[in-house]
Amino acid sequence: MKSFTILWVDDEIDLLKSHLMFLEERNYHVVTCNSGQDALDAVKERPFDIVFLDENMPGLSGLETLTELKRLDASLPVVMITKNEEESIMEEAIGSKIADYLIKPVNPNQILLSLKKNLDHSRLVSEKTTAGYQQEFRKIAMDLSMVRTPQEWADLYKKLIFWELQLESIEDKSMFEILESQKSEANQQFGKFVERHYADWINGEDSPVMSHTLFREWVAPQLEQGPTLLVVIDNLRYDQWFAFEDALNPFFRKVVEKPFYSILPTATQYARNAIFSGLMPLDMEKRHPQWWKNDTDEGGKNLHEADFLGAQIKRLGLDLNWEYHKISSLKQGRHLAQQFRSMKGRDLVAVVYNFVDMLSHARTEMEVIKELASDDKAYRSLTLSWFKNSPLLAIIQEAQAMGFRLIITTDHGTINVKQASRVVGDRETSLNLRYKTGRSLTYEDKDVLAAPRPAELRLPSINMSSSFIFAKNDLFFAYPNNFNHYVSYYRNTYQHGGISLEEMVVPFVVLEAR
């Protein structure tokens, strides 16, 4: 074990010899001082791992010494030791970012626990986490062979995310690599599961809640509880939701958090339009041809979400005073935050926020974003940083102040693609990297879920002979022409449209104002 150096500051240090011997026996090196000024001089001369600081000393008091120590080294852990149990002293010490607060008389085991907590925390957490995942590894492997329902797949996926978040902060990268292997195996099995059951889901057999049933099944019942802000963050994966969940805790408490399934293709024009319309794409095309656009049609594909939502609200017989807003820029977000007070009296305010989708596309196009979001951990971190500083958080704070309930959800997730699968199509073939629709598609059968008759999956056809294919696992489609350049450009980018746990199993969260 590494030997740590402790600075112990107490004007009665001679009374603590038994404590010092206890620590020395456990390989801690202790340097002592009798005053605050001596402590400051010692810290200027050499580094220490932690300081134990008496609060009540002549000359510089413990709190005064604490302030000066933090000026010298803001990262130096300081444990305050005091006889004084006054709340004001505790608050001032805690406000100065002490590492711990101990009340005299302290026993050696209290000191040891504080040292373990502050100096050995990373090692102990790493060892505990590694041991925990090693035990869980076998159970996850067993679960993979026994998963039979959409809910069981969602539970397994959330378990994999939990361990991913636990393992990403420890030093044992081999455990992380094992988890990545399990995630890959899970996606392979999940692809087979979806291939067997997706058509049945669309026809209502043992179907989970999906994009086109989400509003009717889960959103509409929540509207009976009072005014609601519905936020659809485009392209939000489950792990990204977990990354910024804590940032909402000061304003909202979570009431419901459960997964639903994005329809195929897991792409905005299909999945998000399905949420707002309450219809599958083929039904949108038939009922509302003036609003629906296929892949090869000119113009924006999500320009009529408000129209779709209005039609669904009317079809469900809901008497709602509602508004819809789409945010695709910082300026638009700030404007809505400033104007949100005018939403008083609305039963439903629906907001589509596009940042995460723009982030994933920017990561493909811009080298600087590729550096900032080089892997899933960095991608989550960037999402958290955005959320904490975004107008969306300001909008949510305004909603909380006005007593709104909050629903956060998304249309689909995204996956980091690693391998290319060759595909050939004509000029009318769609451009998405994770799904294709067009005529005479040539592809690797093992890499895709194929829909030669799109109507069976309630998908529209560009023409009489067009079909759909959806990429499985972490594959992306590449044309044989200029194949190597194409693969090099798109490998390790975040894409959506296909079949993976990351893209299809997405969060629905209900929160109420604190």
Side-chain angles (χ1 to χ4, degrees), residues 90 95 120 148 176 184 298:
M90 295 181 186
D120 247 2
R148 296 290 183 268
F176 199 81
S184 178
E298 294 292 329

Side-chain angles (χ1 to χ4, degrees), residues 185-197:
E185 182 184 354
N187 264 327
Q188 290 178 21
Q189 298 299 326
F190 180 71
K192 295 175 183 177
F193 177 79
V194 172
E195 192 166 23
R196 289 194 301 270
H197 297 289

Side-chain angles (χ1 to χ4, degrees), residues 203-219:
N203 292 313
E205 296 180 24
D206 299 318
S207 174
V209 169
M210 302 181 74
S211 307
H212 63 301
T213 58
L214 180 70
F215 190 91
R216 182 186 75 224
E217 296 294 328
W218 285 356
V219 176

Side-chain angles (χ1 to χ4, degrees), residues 54-56 80-84 89 101-104:
D54 184 27
E55 183 269 324
N56 186 22
M80 184 71 78
I81 302 176
T82 179
K83 292 179 181 177
N84 196 330
I89 299 290
Y101 194 94
L102 303 179
I103 304 296
K104 289 184 176 182

Side-chain angles (χ1 to χ4, degrees), residues 148-377:
R148 296 290 183 268
T149 69
Q151 183 60 52
E152 287 174 353
W153 270 112
D155 292 341
L156 179 65
Y157 174 48
K158 289 172 65 176
K159 186 180 293 186
L160 288 167
I161 294 174
F162 170 81
W163 284 109
E164 181 176 8
L165 296 176
Q166 294 294 307
L167 291 170
E168 72 177 15
S169 60
I170 70 172
E171 298 176 3
D172 189 348
K173 301 304 178 187
S174 63
M175 284 293 104
F176 199 81
E177 290 170 1
I178 293 171
L179 176 69
E180 286 294 303
S181 176
Q182 273 201 323
K183 283 177 63 181
S184 178
E185 182 184 354
N187 264 327
Q188 290 178 21
Q189 298 299 326
F190 180 71
K192 295 175 183 177
F193 177 79
V194 172
E195 192 166 23
R196 289 194 301 270
H197 297 289
Y198 187 79
D200 293 334
W201 296 349
I202 297 305
N203 292 313
E205 296 180 24
D206 299 318
S207 174
V209 169
M210 302 181 74
S211 307
H212 63 301
T213 58
L214 180 70
F215 190 91
R216 182 186 75 224
E217 296 294 328
W218 285 356
V219 176
Q222 293 296 331
L223 302 179
E224 300 172 3
Q225 305 299 317
T228 301
L229 170 62
L230 169 64
V231 179
V232 180
I233 303 177
D234 194 10
N235 224 2
L236 185 74
R237 302 194 321 191
Y238 231 117
D239 61 326
Q240 291 172 303
W241 153 247
F242 287 144
F244 69 73
E245 178 181 4
D246 285 349
L248 289 170
N249 282 341
F251 316 107
F252 284 88
R253 65 173 60 86
K254 186 167 64 177
V255 179
V256 175
E257 185 250 283
K258 52 189 176 181
F260 74 99
Y261 276 68
S262 170
I263 64 166
L264 297 175
T266 48
T268 303
Q269 73 191 74
Y270 293 91
R272 201 165 75 203
N273 277 330
I275 289 174
F276 286 111
S277 69
L279 301 168
M280 285 295 290
L282 181 60
D283 304 309
M284 284 184 259
E285 183 188 51
K286 288 180 176 179
R287 290 196 188 198
H288 306 293
Q290 73 276 28
W291 299 335
W292 174 260
K293 289 185 181 293
N294 285 313
D295 282 79
T296 55
D297 294 336
E298 294 292 329
K301 307 297 191 291
N302 287 82
L303 299 179
H304 294 283
E305 290 165 353
D307 297 317
F308 279 131
L309 178 57
Q312 179 174 197
I313 288 172
K314 183 177 180 181
R315 192 170 67 250
L316 295 175
L318 300 175
D319 182 18
L320 297 176
N321 185 348
W322 64 278
E323 284 193 25
Y324 166 90
H325 299 269
K326 182 181 291 186
I327 307 300
S328 300
S329 69
L330 182 64
K331 182 179 179 181
Q332 290 174 329
R334 286 176 173 168
H335 179 74
L336 181 57
Q338 292 166 358
Q339 298 299 314
F340 197 84
R341 292 278 174 172
S342 67
M343 309 295 164
K344 187 175 182 180
R346 302 292 188 271
D347 301 306
L348 171 65
V349 179
V351 175
V352 170
Y353 218 100
N354 268 344
F355 178 84
V356 179
D357 183 58
M358 291 188 289
L359 176 61
S360 68
H361 290 301
R363 193 190 175 285
T364 302
E365 304 294 335
M366 297 172 61
E367 289 298 324
V368 65
I369 301 297
K370 286 183 181 180
E371 291 290 329
L372 289 173
S374 58
D375 55 24
D376 286 352
K377 178 182 178 181

Side-chain angles (χ1 to χ4, degrees), residues 10-18 20 34:
D10 194 309
D11 61 320
E12 297 178 330
I13 198 71
D14 291 341
L15 302 179
L16 298 171
K17 285 183 179 179
S18 61
L20 305 183
N34 295 95

Side-chain angles (χ1 to χ4, degrees), residues 16-27:
L16 298 171
K17 285 183 179 179
S18 61
H19 291 63
L20 305 183
M21 290 174 60
F22 175 85
L23 293 175
E24 295 282 359
E25 288 170 359
R26 283 157 180 77
N27 203 33

